[in-house]
Amino acid sequence: MNLKNTKKYIWIFLLCCLPLSNILWYVAYSSGDESVAASLVILTSFLPALTALILCKISREGWDNLMILPNIRKAWKAYLFAVIGALVMNYLNELLMYLMFRGEVSFQAGAFTLRGLGEFLGMTILGVLASVEMLGEELGWLGWLFPRLEKMHGTKAAMLLLALIRTMWHLGIIFFLPHPLIGLCDLFLSNLLSQGFLVYLTKKSASLFPAAVVHAVTNLLPALVAYSDSFYQAHIVSMNCAGLLSAAVVGGISYKLMWKEKMFGRGTGKRTERTVYKLWKR
């Protein structure tokens, strides 16, 4: 596909995804009906994938380059890094919050018992198994949009643009937060810091599944630190900074690995399921 057509299809993708998704987010969070809200959230989550698949059909590119095969046998290290990175981002954040507000927050009752350990292991495994659901987002963002942005602007600029687009995709939720501006800034920075982690996993494995695993595991992991919503709102900036620092640790390691393995560049070429062995042995 030439550059002119690439730009055209990117704009079509964004104009299909962003307005409609934010309308659906808004309706879901304002409906007051949990079943309706849950259905709309699932539909919205699959909107990037549906748009990407339709555009692949229209442009006659096919679906070979969307990296939808798991490649577990050859890319198992990427899956391991995905799970460990998700655990670090989640629980380093909670540890930092506990250290910052020691005496004001506490660990969840039973967090360090056998039952708590069982819940932690169970939710981690469930997150890995539930990663298929998260392909609805990642197939659109990392499988379709990112390679085209990278081809046009280079890897670093593409990651910045994708972080911005992911943030815009959630605007319909931001308006329901008590502090929308703080929430918007936090969402953009967390997207930007974690982008290196997700892109590295995708490039390393030539599969979308490791990034989907990160998404699913971080959504399902049980909390270790207990605090009230009013306490969070009173200390929202400090607590958000703890989350950003956690994302920066994992993201920083990923950026360094990308630099070491020469994954930055412009027009880095197709990375499909068929090239995973070469990528992994590089």
Side-chain angles (χ1 to χ4, degrees), residues 16-54:
C16 288
C17 273
L18 297 183
L20 182 56
S21 63
N22 280 298
I23 291 171
L24 291 173
W25 285 128
Y26 184 85
V27 173
Y29 278 78
S30 60
S31 66
D33 187 320
E34 289 187 9
S35 60
V36 171
S39 300
L40 289 174
V41 167
I42 293 173
L43 176 61
T44 309
S45 298
F46 278 91
L47 189 59
L50 291 173
T51 307
L53 292 173
I54 291 170

Side-chain angles (χ1 to χ4, degrees), residues 190-257:
S190 61
N191 277 329
L192 183 61
L193 291 170
S194 61
Q195 207 62 54
F197 183 35
L198 300 178
V199 170
Y200 173 76
L201 291 172
T202 304
K203 283 177 172 285
K204 189 68 177 177
S205 65
S207 171
L208 297 173
F209 272 90
V213 165
V214 173
H215 202 154
V217 170
T218 52
N219 283 352
L220 292 174
L221 282 175
L224 288 181
V225 177
Y227 50 84
S228 65
D229 186 61
S230 59
F231 182 85
Y232 173 76
Q233 298 302 334
H235 302 87
I236 186 169
V237 175
S238 300
M239 298 186 89
N240 283 354
C241 285
L244 292 175
L245 182 57
S246 303
V249 170
V250 178
I253 293 171
S254 301
Y255 279 112
K256 187 173 180 61
L257 289 171

Side-chain angles (χ1 to χ4, degrees), residues 147 150-151 203 266-272:
E150 185 180 37
K151 180 180 178 181
K203 283 177 172 285
R266 184 164 184 161
T268 52
K270 297 179 180 178
R271 297 179 182 276
T272 69

